[in-house]
Amino acid sequence: MNFFSKVDIPASDLRIDYKSNLVFIGSCFADNISAQFASRKFKVLANPFGTIYNPLSIAQMVKNIAEGKVYGDTDVFQDVCRDNGHGDNLWHCWDAHSSLSGHTREECIAKLNAATTQARDFLRKADAVFITLGTAFVYYLKDSGKPVSNCHRQDPALFERRMISVDEAASAICEIVENLRKIKNQTRIASPSARNDVARFTSDNTPRIVFTVSPLRHMSDGAHNNTLSKATLQLAVNSAISSVTTVPSASSGTFPTIDYFPSYEIVMDELRDYRFYESDMVHLSRTAEEYIFERMADTYCSEITCGHIAKVEKFLKGARHRIQDESAPATQDFLKKINAQATLLESDIPGLDLSDEKRPVK
């Protein structure tokens, strides 16, 4: 008898290893999964503009990066003290998380432009981009109709909130794909090694894009609306994958290959027990996040790379041992051993960087 329904994940030709540059964009689930990769020493960029939950805002962010948007005075606003006393006087941007807010206008703008530059530089060399869609509900500013990534706890009367349609979400996803292609293509244009300096976009220079739907439920919307929202995102991704892989790009003749990874389905069908959740019964436990990472590694990493991951995990467990007395002879011997192991692993695993784990020895 089989008491476990395992989600079947189609084989993928996407292969990531320690040489790969990985980008994670989207909801807080993107932060959680990127942390799983980063903790195992993969090269990762996660949410340069902070967590973004809906496809329209993700599409706008990627477009801004592709176009090299320079943020200025009109892109930020100050949160003045309100009647409820919750104003913090910080400067915010509707396009970004509060982690990019600043105590002055100049600080906020500087953070936004630094994030744009960092994201563009990393995306140009990215091998795979994982995009997590959290919700189909979008907040719009009433005075302009602009969708916002973050409301920054502003007066609810400023916003209109509605669930976008499957077509709207699919259009945003296709726009994300096209602008990621443009960012990658900028490398070809700028590269002196590009033949005849002609901007060509080939499969060898194509970032692989993997969409997934966050398994974290938005129960504040109610169980039914949460289900409708997640279903909208799933249908939109399916529609976009179908259109993107069948309709050629006018500029290059091809679109990047995109995939879908079933994070939502894994949690709903394989981990359908509240022991895999935190105490709020909404966020996933660390065990659940690690399990989803294992499923991703099984899907996108070769057997050799999975073996490398196991070696790195074993090394890090020892290297992160808590040290009581830095000057003790035994501690110095331990640090020498760790440094030697790190150097050996780096020589055995191409692309692995353990410089942060190497400690000075007296």
Side-chain angles (χ1 to χ4, degrees):
M1 234 180 234
N2 185 6
F3 292 99
F4 181 79
S5 58
K6 191 167 185 177
V7 174
D8 180 45
I9 302 177
S12 174
D13 62 347
L14 168 59
R15 284 292 173 261
I16 59 177
D17 55 30
Y18 279 98
K19 299 189 299 293
S20 303
N21 294 298
L22 310 178
V23 179
F24 294 82
I25 295 171
S27 72
C28 54
F29 183 71
D31 291 321
N32 298 339
I33 293 303
S34 66
Q36 292 290 328
F37 280 90
S39 69
R40 292 165 174 84
K41 310 306 293 184
F42 281 86
K43 299 180 182 68
V44 167
L45 173 67
N47 277 336
F49 281 80
T51 52
I52 301 179
Y53 293 91
N54 72 80
L56 296 189
S57 294
I58 295 175
Q60 185 61 57
M61 181 200 72
V62 176
K63 180 181 179 182
N64 290 344
I65 295 170
E67 295 179 349
K69 177 180 174 66
V70 177
Y71 285 87
D73 291 351
T74 59
D75 297 304
V76 298
F77 66 94
Q78 187 175 25
D79 182 12
V80 296
C81 188
R82 300 184 295 276
D83 292 340
N84 59 14
H86 290 167
D88 53 20
N89 292 321
L90 291 176
W91 288 83
H92 304 289
C93 176
W94 297 121
D95 294 339
H97 185 263
S98 57
S99 58
L100 277 75
S101 299
H103 292 285
T104 66
R105 177 194 288 114
E106 293 74 19
E107 180 188 0
C108 181
I109 292 172
K111 285 184 177 181
L112 293 165
N113 287 324
T116 301
T117 300
Q118 178 196 28
R120 184 171 63 250
D121 291 346
F122 201 98
L123 281 166
R124 283 174 174 171
K125 61 183 180 182
D127 299 292
V129 182
F130 295 86
I131 297 178
T132 302
L133 305 175
T135 182
F137 281 97
V138 180
Y139 284 89
Y140 297 84
L141 288 170
K142 288 182 178 179
D143 62 353
S144 65
K146 170 187 170 66
V148 301
S149 300
N150 196 300
C151 293
H152 298 292
R153 298 183 179 180
Q154 298 302 293
D155 186 350
L158 295 174
F159 308 100
E160 174 191 358
R161 183 175 184 265
R162 68 176 178 86
M163 186 166 64
I164 60 176
S165 67
V166 172
D167 287 344
E168 288 175 298
S171 177
I173 291 169
C174 289
E175 185 179 356
I176 292 168
V177 172
E178 176 65 11
N179 278 309
L180 285 173
R181 182 197 67 79
K182 289 179 180 178
I183 294 170
K184 193 72 171 180
N185 201 24
Q186 290 168 0
T187 304
R188 302 284 293 186
I189 296 172
S191 173
S193 62
R195 183 176 301 176
N196 298 327
D197 290 328
V198 175
R200 289 188 54 80
F201 188 77
T202 68
S203 59
D204 291 338
N205 197 45
T206 302
R208 293 296 297 272
I209 305 168
V210 180
F211 286 92
T212 192
V213 172
S214 170
L216 276 65
R217 295 167 297 162
H218 291 225
M219 297 308 291
S220 59
D221 295 324
H224 182 58
N225 279 336
N226 173 74
T227 300
L228 291 176
S229 172
K230 299 295 186 181
T232 296
L233 298 175
Q234 290 171 318
L235 288 168
V237 172
N238 192 63
S239 174
I241 288 177
S242 176
S243 63
V244 163
T245 54
T246 57
V247 178
S249 165
S251 60
S252 67
T254 184
F255 270 107
T257 302
I258 63 176
D259 296 320
Y260 176 75
F261 183 81
S263 300
Y264 181 85
E265 293 80 356
I266 288 172
V267 173
M268 294 299 108
D269 290 319
E270 293 188 25
L271 307 182
R272 43 180 159 169
D273 189 303
Y274 278 110
R275 66 195 168 110
F276 295 113
Y277 289 84
E278 294 289 0
S279 58
D280 63 3
M281 300 302 157
V282 173
H283 290 86
L284 300 182
S285 68
R286 183 172 179 83
T287 299
E289 292 170 0
E290 289 178 346
Y291 179 75
I292 295 173
F293 167 79
E294 290 175 4
R295 294 301 308 274
M296 294 184 77
D298 289 342
T299 303
Y300 301 118
C301 297
S302 68
E303 186 176 346
I304 292 175
T305 300
C306 287
H308 289 163
I309 293 172
K311 290 181 180 179
V312 171
E313 288 174 337
K314 182 178 179 180
F315 165 78
L316 292 175
K317 185 176 181 180
R320 293 168 180 171
H321 179 74
R322 186 174 179 181
I323 294 175
Q324 298 290 341
D325 184 359
E326 188 79 29
S327 61
T331 298
Q332 295 300 304
D333 290 340
F334 170 75
L335 294 179
K336 291 177 183 178
K337 178 182 176 182
I338 290 299
N339 290 348
Q341 289 177 348
T343 300
L344 181 60
L345 273 179
E346 287 175 330
S347 65
D348 289 343
I349 303 176
L352 178 64
D353 181 3
L354 294 173
S355 56
D356 288 341
E357 277 60 47
K358 295 179 182 178
R359 307 274 288 276
V361 178
K362 296 180 181 179

